[in-house]
Amino acid sequence: EKGGYDYFMLKEIAEQPKAVADTLLGRIGADGHLRLDEVRIPDAVLREADKIVIIACGTAFHAGLIAKYAIEHWTRIPCEVELASEFRYRDPILGQRTLVIAISQSGETMDTLMALRHAREQGAKVLAVCNTNGSTIPRESDAVLYTHAGPEVAVASTKAFLTQLVACYLLALYLGQVRGTKWGDEIHAVVRELARIGDEVERVLDTMEPVRALARSLADKDTVLFLGRHVGYPVALEGALKLKELAYMHAEGFAAGELKHGPIALIEEDLPVVVVVPSPRGRSVLHDKIVSNIQEIRARGARTIVIAEEGDEAVVPYADHLIRVPATPTLLQPLVSTVPLQVFACELATARGNEVDQPRNLAKSVTVE
Ligand code: BG6
Protein backbone atom coordinates (compact mmCIF):
# COMPACT_ATOMS: atom_id res chain seq x y z
CA GLU A 1 0.00 0.00 0.00
CA LYS A 2 3.02 2.28 0.36
CA GLY A 3 3.63 1.70 -3.33
CA GLY A 4 7.29 0.75 -2.89
CA TYR A 5 8.11 3.71 -0.63
CA ASP A 6 9.43 3.24 2.91
CA TYR A 7 6.91 5.68 4.33
CA PHE A 8 3.51 7.02 3.42
CA MET A 9 4.97 10.50 3.69
CA LEU A 10 7.48 9.79 0.89
CA LYS A 11 4.70 8.34 -1.25
CA GLU A 12 2.47 11.33 -0.57
CA ILE A 13 5.26 13.82 -1.35
CA ALA A 14 5.78 12.01 -4.65
CA GLU A 15 2.06 12.09 -5.42
CA GLN A 16 1.92 15.88 -5.29
CA PRO A 17 2.07 16.58 -9.04
CA LYS A 18 -0.94 14.30 -9.54
CA ALA A 19 -2.78 15.68 -6.49
CA VAL A 20 -2.32 19.20 -7.83
CA ALA A 21 -3.42 18.23 -11.34
CA ASP A 22 -6.46 16.36 -10.00
CA THR A 23 -7.50 19.38 -7.95
CA LEU A 24 -7.30 21.58 -11.05
CA LEU A 25 -9.08 19.09 -13.29
CA GLY A 26 -12.15 20.54 -14.98
CA ARG A 27 -11.94 23.78 -13.04
CA ILE A 28 -10.09 25.92 -15.57
CA GLY A 29 -11.87 26.25 -18.92
CA ALA A 30 -10.08 26.34 -22.27
CA ASP A 31 -10.79 30.09 -22.36
CA GLY A 32 -8.91 30.55 -19.08
CA HIS A 33 -12.09 31.12 -17.10
CA LEU A 34 -12.74 29.38 -13.82
CA ARG A 35 -15.55 26.85 -13.54
CA LEU A 36 -16.54 26.23 -9.95
CA ASP A 37 -20.27 25.53 -10.43
CA GLU A 38 -19.93 22.81 -7.80
CA VAL A 39 -19.52 25.54 -5.17
CA ARG A 40 -23.14 25.92 -4.22
CA ILE A 41 -22.87 29.43 -2.82
CA PRO A 42 -24.83 31.67 -5.21
CA ASP A 43 -22.68 34.11 -7.17
CA ALA A 44 -24.74 36.93 -5.59
CA VAL A 45 -23.37 36.01 -2.17
CA LEU A 46 -19.83 35.98 -3.51
CA ARG A 47 -20.42 39.30 -5.23
CA GLU A 48 -21.66 40.94 -2.05
CA ALA A 49 -19.08 39.57 0.39
CA ASP A 50 -17.30 42.48 2.04
CA LYS A 51 -14.94 40.46 4.21
CA ILE A 52 -13.34 37.03 4.07
CA VAL A 53 -12.22 35.18 7.18
CA ILE A 54 -10.16 32.02 6.87
CA ILE A 55 -10.12 29.58 9.78
CA ALA A 56 -7.92 26.49 10.03
CA CYS A 57 -5.36 24.66 12.16
CA GLY A 58 -1.79 23.52 11.68
CA THR A 59 -0.65 23.11 8.10
CA ALA A 60 -4.09 24.11 6.80
CA PHE A 61 -3.66 27.41 8.67
CA HIS A 62 -0.46 28.01 6.72
CA ALA A 63 -2.35 27.41 3.48
CA GLY A 64 -4.81 30.05 4.72
CA LEU A 65 -2.04 32.56 5.38
CA ILE A 66 -0.86 32.16 1.79
CA ALA A 67 -4.43 32.36 0.47
CA LYS A 68 -4.82 35.77 2.10
CA TYR A 69 -2.11 37.25 -0.13
CA ALA A 70 -3.81 35.89 -3.24
CA ILE A 71 -7.36 36.81 -2.22
CA GLU A 72 -6.55 40.38 -1.30
CA HIS A 73 -4.34 40.95 -4.32
CA TRP A 74 -6.71 39.46 -6.88
CA THR A 75 -10.10 40.41 -5.43
CA ARG A 76 -9.40 43.45 -3.18
CA ILE A 77 -11.71 41.93 -0.53
CA PRO A 78 -10.21 42.32 2.97
CA CYS A 79 -9.19 38.90 4.26
CA GLU A 80 -8.24 37.77 7.76
CA VAL A 81 -6.74 34.44 8.68
CA GLU A 82 -7.19 33.05 12.14
CA LEU A 83 -6.32 29.93 14.05
CA ALA A 84 -9.63 28.14 14.45
CA SER A 85 -8.89 27.50 18.13
CA GLU A 86 -8.68 31.23 18.84
CA PHE A 87 -11.51 32.39 16.65
CA ARG A 88 -14.75 32.06 18.56
CA TYR A 89 -13.27 32.94 21.92
CA ARG A 90 -12.49 36.52 20.98
CA ASP A 91 -15.99 37.44 19.85
CA PRO A 92 -15.12 38.04 16.18
CA ILE A 93 -17.12 40.50 14.08
CA LEU A 94 -19.18 38.55 11.58
CA GLY A 95 -22.22 39.34 9.49
CA GLN A 96 -24.35 38.33 6.50
CA ARG A 97 -21.70 39.66 4.14
CA THR A 98 -18.82 37.80 5.75
CA LEU A 99 -17.58 34.80 3.82
CA VAL A 100 -15.78 32.33 6.07
CA ILE A 101 -13.46 29.78 4.47
CA ALA A 102 -12.75 26.73 6.65
CA ILE A 103 -9.74 24.75 5.44
CA SER A 104 -9.35 21.17 6.66
CA GLN A 105 -7.82 18.05 5.17
CA SER A 106 -9.78 15.63 7.35
CA GLY A 107 -12.97 17.63 7.68
CA GLU A 108 -13.14 16.47 11.30
CA THR A 109 -10.89 18.87 13.22
CA MET A 110 -12.94 19.95 16.22
CA ASP A 111 -11.37 23.41 16.58
CA THR A 112 -12.26 24.21 12.97
CA LEU A 113 -15.74 22.72 13.30
CA MET A 114 -16.54 24.76 16.41
CA ALA A 115 -15.26 27.92 14.73
CA LEU A 116 -17.45 27.35 11.67
CA ARG A 117 -20.50 26.65 13.81
CA HIS A 118 -19.90 29.92 15.59
CA ALA A 119 -19.56 31.76 12.27
CA ARG A 120 -22.83 30.33 10.95
CA GLU A 121 -24.65 31.20 14.17
CA GLN A 122 -23.59 34.79 13.57
CA GLY A 123 -25.08 34.71 10.06
CA ALA A 124 -21.88 34.30 8.05
CA LYS A 125 -21.72 31.99 5.04
CA VAL A 126 -19.16 29.21 5.32
CA LEU A 127 -17.31 27.59 2.46
CA ALA A 128 -15.21 24.53 3.30
CA VAL A 129 -12.00 23.61 1.49
CA CYS A 130 -11.75 19.95 2.35
CA ASN A 131 -10.12 16.71 1.20
CA THR A 132 -12.53 14.20 2.71
CA ASN A 133 -15.83 13.60 0.99
CA GLY A 134 -18.87 13.78 3.21
CA SER A 135 -16.92 14.61 6.38
CA THR A 136 -18.42 16.79 9.10
CA ILE A 137 -16.95 20.18 8.15
CA PRO A 138 -18.28 20.18 4.56
CA ARG A 139 -21.59 18.74 5.75
CA GLU A 140 -22.05 21.62 8.14
CA SER A 141 -20.89 24.29 5.68
CA ASP A 142 -22.96 26.23 3.14
CA ALA A 143 -20.67 25.09 0.34
CA VAL A 144 -17.58 23.03 -0.29
CA LEU A 145 -14.68 23.08 -2.68
CA TYR A 146 -13.06 19.67 -2.50
CA THR A 147 -9.34 19.17 -2.86
CA HIS A 148 -8.50 15.98 -4.74
CA ALA A 149 -5.33 14.90 -2.99
CA GLY A 150 -6.64 11.37 -2.38
CA PRO A 151 -6.28 9.77 1.04
CA GLU A 152 -3.45 11.25 3.10
CA VAL A 153 -2.14 8.77 5.68
CA ALA A 154 1.05 10.34 7.07
CA VAL A 155 0.26 12.61 10.00
CA ALA A 156 2.34 15.45 8.59
CA SER A 157 0.34 16.97 5.75
CA THR A 158 2.06 17.33 2.37
CA LYS A 159 -0.07 16.70 -0.71
CA ALA A 160 -3.18 17.97 1.07
CA PHE A 161 -1.37 21.25 1.75
CA LEU A 162 -0.44 21.76 -1.90
CA THR A 163 -4.00 21.03 -3.00
CA GLN A 164 -5.37 23.42 -0.36
CA LEU A 165 -3.22 26.11 -1.95
CA VAL A 166 -4.51 25.20 -5.41
CA ALA A 167 -8.13 25.30 -4.19
CA CYS A 168 -7.58 28.69 -2.55
CA TYR A 169 -5.97 30.11 -5.69
CA LEU A 170 -8.91 28.82 -7.76
CA LEU A 171 -11.34 30.31 -5.30
CA ALA A 172 -9.59 33.67 -5.26
CA LEU A 173 -9.53 33.79 -9.06
CA TYR A 174 -13.17 32.71 -9.20
CA LEU A 175 -14.16 35.44 -6.74
CA GLY A 176 -12.37 37.93 -8.96
CA GLN A 177 -14.18 36.58 -12.01
CA VAL A 178 -17.63 36.68 -10.37
CA ARG A 179 -17.06 40.18 -9.08
CA GLY A 180 -15.90 41.43 -12.43
CA THR A 181 -12.38 42.29 -11.33
CA LYS A 182 -10.51 43.48 -14.38
CA TRP A 183 -8.50 40.55 -15.64
CA GLY A 184 -5.23 41.98 -16.76
CA ASP A 185 -2.24 40.19 -18.20
CA GLU A 186 -1.05 39.26 -14.71
CA ILE A 187 -4.14 37.19 -13.95
CA HIS A 188 -4.09 35.51 -17.35
CA ALA A 189 -0.45 34.58 -16.81
CA VAL A 190 -1.27 33.21 -13.35
CA VAL A 191 -4.10 31.03 -14.67
CA ARG A 192 -1.88 29.68 -17.43
CA GLU A 193 0.90 28.95 -14.97
CA LEU A 194 -1.46 27.38 -12.43
CA ALA A 195 -2.80 25.03 -15.10
CA ARG A 196 0.69 23.55 -15.60
CA ILE A 197 2.12 23.91 -12.09
CA GLY A 198 2.00 20.14 -11.49
CA ASP A 199 4.86 19.75 -13.98
CA GLU A 200 6.92 22.30 -12.06
CA VAL A 201 6.31 20.39 -8.81
CA GLU A 202 7.52 17.27 -10.61
CA ARG A 203 10.69 19.07 -11.67
CA VAL A 204 11.36 20.05 -8.06
CA LEU A 205 10.90 16.44 -6.94
CA ASP A 206 13.45 15.32 -9.53
CA THR A 207 16.18 17.47 -7.96
CA MET A 208 15.83 16.58 -4.28
CA GLU A 209 18.92 14.38 -3.77
CA PRO A 210 21.18 17.24 -2.58
CA VAL A 211 18.43 18.35 -0.17
CA ARG A 212 18.36 14.85 1.33
CA ALA A 213 22.14 14.80 1.70
CA LEU A 214 22.04 18.21 3.35
CA ALA A 215 19.30 17.08 5.76
CA ARG A 216 21.33 14.03 6.79
CA SER A 217 24.37 16.23 7.46
CA LEU A 218 22.32 18.31 9.93
CA ALA A 219 20.96 15.39 11.95
CA ASP A 220 22.86 16.35 15.10
CA LYS A 221 21.79 20.01 15.13
CA ASP A 222 19.43 21.34 17.81
CA THR A 223 17.88 24.29 16.02
CA VAL A 224 17.00 25.34 12.49
CA LEU A 225 15.55 28.75 11.66
CA PHE A 226 13.41 29.60 8.63
CA LEU A 227 13.02 33.03 7.09
CA GLY A 228 10.73 34.27 4.36
CA ARG A 229 8.86 37.30 3.12
CA HIS A 230 5.50 37.83 1.47
CA VAL A 231 4.11 34.37 0.65
CA GLY A 232 7.52 32.98 1.59
CA TYR A 233 6.78 33.86 5.20
CA PRO A 234 4.01 31.25 5.66
CA VAL A 235 6.25 28.84 3.73
CA ALA A 236 8.93 29.45 6.38
CA LEU A 237 6.35 28.75 9.11
CA GLU A 238 5.37 25.53 7.36
CA GLY A 239 9.01 24.44 6.98
CA ALA A 240 9.50 24.98 10.70
CA LEU A 241 6.30 23.15 11.63
CA LYS A 242 7.33 20.13 9.57
CA LEU A 243 10.69 19.99 11.32
CA LYS A 244 9.09 20.19 14.77
CA GLU A 245 6.52 17.53 13.93
CA LEU A 246 8.90 15.07 12.33
CA ALA A 247 12.45 15.70 13.54
CA TYR A 248 11.47 16.91 17.05
CA MET A 249 13.90 19.78 16.63
CA HIS A 250 13.59 23.36 17.72
CA ALA A 251 12.52 25.11 14.55
CA GLU A 252 11.09 28.57 14.12
CA GLY A 253 9.86 30.51 11.14
CA PHE A 254 10.17 34.29 10.96
CA ALA A 255 9.21 37.05 8.60
CA ALA A 256 12.60 38.16 7.30
CA GLY A 257 11.74 41.81 7.92
CA GLU A 258 11.43 41.00 11.63
CA LEU A 259 14.98 39.67 11.79
CA LYS A 260 16.36 43.01 12.96
CA HIS A 261 13.62 43.32 15.59
CA GLY A 262 14.72 40.28 17.57
CA PRO A 263 15.52 36.97 15.89
CA ILE A 264 18.94 38.13 14.67
CA ALA A 265 20.08 37.77 18.30
CA LEU A 266 19.72 34.00 17.84
CA ILE A 267 22.25 33.80 15.01
CA GLU A 268 25.45 32.06 15.97
CA GLU A 269 28.29 30.16 14.34
CA ASP A 270 27.10 27.35 12.08
CA LEU A 271 23.37 27.74 12.90
CA PRO A 272 21.41 26.46 9.90
CA VAL A 273 19.05 29.12 8.54
CA VAL A 274 16.74 28.32 5.64
CA VAL A 275 15.78 31.37 3.61
CA VAL A 276 12.89 31.34 1.13
CA VAL A 277 13.74 34.00 -1.45
CA PRO A 278 11.01 35.76 -3.42
CA SER A 279 11.35 36.10 -7.15
CA PRO A 280 13.74 38.84 -8.33
CA ARG A 281 11.14 39.62 -11.00
CA GLY A 282 7.85 41.03 -9.73
CA ARG A 283 8.43 42.32 -6.21
CA SER A 284 12.13 42.97 -6.68
CA VAL A 285 12.38 45.29 -3.67
CA LEU A 286 11.58 42.38 -1.39
CA HIS A 287 14.11 40.24 -3.19
CA ASP A 288 16.86 42.77 -2.62
CA LYS A 289 15.92 43.15 1.04
CA ILE A 290 16.07 39.44 1.66
CA VAL A 291 19.43 39.17 -0.07
CA SER A 292 20.69 41.73 2.48
CA ASN A 293 19.20 39.58 5.26
CA ILE A 294 21.13 36.59 3.97
CA GLN A 295 24.34 38.65 3.95
CA GLU A 296 23.66 39.84 7.50
CA ILE A 297 23.10 36.42 8.99
CA ARG A 298 26.02 34.93 7.11
CA ALA A 299 28.31 37.66 8.37
CA ARG A 300 27.29 36.48 11.87
CA GLY A 301 28.25 32.89 11.12
CA ALA A 302 24.94 31.32 10.06
CA ARG A 303 25.00 28.43 7.64
CA THR A 304 22.67 29.70 4.90
CA ILE A 305 20.37 27.31 3.07
CA VAL A 306 18.82 29.34 0.31
CA ILE A 307 15.72 28.43 -1.70
CA ALA A 308 15.71 30.64 -4.78
CA GLU A 309 14.27 30.52 -8.25
CA GLU A 310 16.29 29.37 -11.23
CA GLY A 311 18.27 32.22 -12.73
CA ASP A 312 18.46 34.23 -9.51
CA GLU A 313 22.22 34.86 -9.46
CA ALA A 314 22.22 37.52 -6.72
CA VAL A 315 21.92 34.92 -3.96
CA VAL A 316 24.80 32.74 -5.16
CA PRO A 317 27.67 34.45 -3.28
CA TYR A 318 25.84 34.17 0.07
CA ALA A 319 24.35 30.69 -0.14
CA ASP A 320 26.22 27.92 1.63
CA HIS A 321 23.62 25.60 0.16
CA LEU A 322 21.46 26.58 -2.78
CA ILE A 323 18.16 24.89 -3.57
CA ARG A 324 16.68 25.87 -6.92
CA VAL A 325 12.97 26.02 -7.69
CA PRO A 326 11.36 26.85 -11.05
CA ALA A 327 10.39 30.46 -11.70
CA THR A 328 6.67 30.99 -11.09
CA PRO A 329 4.43 34.01 -10.58
CA THR A 330 5.20 35.29 -7.08
CA LEU A 331 1.90 34.26 -5.49
CA LEU A 332 2.25 30.69 -6.76
CA GLN A 333 5.80 30.19 -5.49
CA PRO A 334 4.72 28.31 -2.33
CA LEU A 335 3.59 25.41 -4.55
CA VAL A 336 7.22 24.80 -5.48
CA SER A 337 9.15 26.23 -2.52
CA THR A 338 7.35 24.14 0.13
CA VAL A 339 8.34 20.85 -1.50
CA PRO A 340 12.07 20.95 -0.61
CA LEU A 341 11.10 21.76 2.98
CA GLN A 342 8.90 18.67 3.17
CA VAL A 343 11.71 16.50 1.81
CA PHE A 344 14.19 18.18 4.17
CA ALA A 345 12.07 17.48 7.28
CA CYS A 346 11.27 13.92 6.24
CA GLU A 347 14.91 13.05 5.61
CA LEU A 348 16.13 14.73 8.79
CA ALA A 349 13.55 12.83 10.81
CA THR A 350 14.65 9.54 9.27
CA ALA A 351 18.31 10.36 9.94
CA ARG A 352 17.41 10.94 13.60
CA GLY A 353 15.70 7.56 13.75
CA ASN A 354 12.19 8.95 14.12
CA GLU A 355 8.97 7.37 12.99
CA VAL A 356 8.03 9.55 10.03
CA ASP A 357 4.41 8.60 9.43
CA GLN A 358 3.36 8.54 13.09
CA PRO A 359 5.29 11.23 14.96
CA ARG A 360 5.14 11.02 18.73
CA ASN A 361 2.22 12.76 20.48
CA LEU A 362 0.44 13.70 17.22
CA ALA A 363 -2.72 12.46 15.54
CA LYS A 364 -3.83 12.80 11.95
CA SER A 365 -7.08 14.36 12.93
CA VAL A 366 -7.77 15.91 16.28
CA THR A 367 -11.42 15.54 17.19
CA VAL A 368 -11.25 17.20 20.58
CA GLU A 369 -11.18 20.93 21.13
C1 BG6 B 1 -3.23 18.37 13.13
C2 BG6 B 1 -2.48 17.47 12.20
O1 BG6 B 1 -3.34 18.04 14.39
O2 BG6 B 1 -4.35 18.88 12.46
C3 BG6 B 1 -1.88 18.44 11.19
O3 BG6 B 1 -1.46 16.75 12.87
C4 BG6 B 1 -3.01 19.18 10.49
O4 BG6 B 1 -1.10 17.76 10.25
C5 BG6 B 1 -3.99 19.81 11.47
O5 BG6 B 1 -2.46 20.19 9.68
C6 BG6 B 1 -5.27 20.26 10.80
O6 BG6 B 1 -5.93 19.13 10.28
P1 BG6 B 1 -7.06 19.21 9.20
O7 BG6 B 1 -7.51 17.81 8.97
O8 BG6 B 1 -8.14 20.08 9.78
O9 BG6 B 1 -6.45 19.83 7.98
Side-chain angles (χ1 to χ4, degrees), residues 57-60 103-107 109 112 155-157 164 245 363-364 366:
C57 304
T59 290
I103 308 176
S104 174
Q105 187 286 129
S106 63
T109 300
T112 310
V155 166
S157 182
Q164 285 161 355
E245 289 179 310
K364 182 67 183 158
V366 182

Side-chain angles (χ1 to χ4, degrees), residues 215-238:
R216 288 192 292 272
S217 76
L218 299 175
D220 61 351
K221 293 285 180 191
D222 301 316
T223 297
V224 180
L225 302 184
F226 294 78
L227 297 177
R229 269 196 102 118
H230 195 262
V231 289
Y233 167 42
V235 171
L237 296 179
E238 174 60 9

Side-chain angles (χ1 to χ4, degrees), residues 40-86:
R40 300 182 308 263
I41 291 194
D43 282 357
V45 173
L46 299 180
R47 231 175 271 126
E48 278 155 29
D50 62 1
K51 180 164 93 164
I52 293 177
V53 180
I54 301 178
I55 47 175
C57 304
T59 290
F61 172 70
H62 296 151
L65 290 176
I66 293 164
K68 173 188 165 85
Y69 286 80
I71 289 171
E72 291 197 338
H73 184 64
W74 292 334
T75 73
R76 310 309 296 156
I77 309 171
C79 176
E80 301 168 7
V81 193
E82 186 144 353
L83 290 166
S85 56
E86 285 296 317

Side-chain angles (χ1 to χ4, degrees), residues 135-165:
S135 55
T136 311
I137 287 172
R139 272 196 282 114
E140 294 206 14
S141 298
D142 296 284
V144 54
L145 181 59
Y146 279 110
T147 51
H148 296 303
E152 191 179 64
V153 177
V155 166
S157 182
T158 53
K159 61 176 181 170
F161 174 74
L162 255 61
T163 61
Q164 285 161 355
L165 291 180

Side-chain angles (χ1 to χ4, degrees), residues 177-207:
Q177 183 176 297
V178 167
R179 294 164 70 97
T181 310
K182 211 162 122 264
W183 277 37
D185 292 347
E186 183 199 328
I187 301 226
H188 286 296
V190 163
V191 173
R192 265 198 312 276
E193 187 67 22
L194 188 58
R196 47 177 288 262
I197 199 81
D199 297 342
E200 306 289 25
V201 175
E202 188 78 64
R203 284 217 292 137
V204 177
L205 288 170
D206 288 343
T207 58

Side-chain angles (χ1 to χ4, degrees), residues 111-128:
D111 287 316
T112 310
L113 181 61
M114 297 312 276
L116 91 78
R117 282 185 185 159
H118 180 80
R120 290 195 76 196
E121 277 161 19
Q122 308 296 308
K125 287 271 180 289
V126 178
L127 192 159

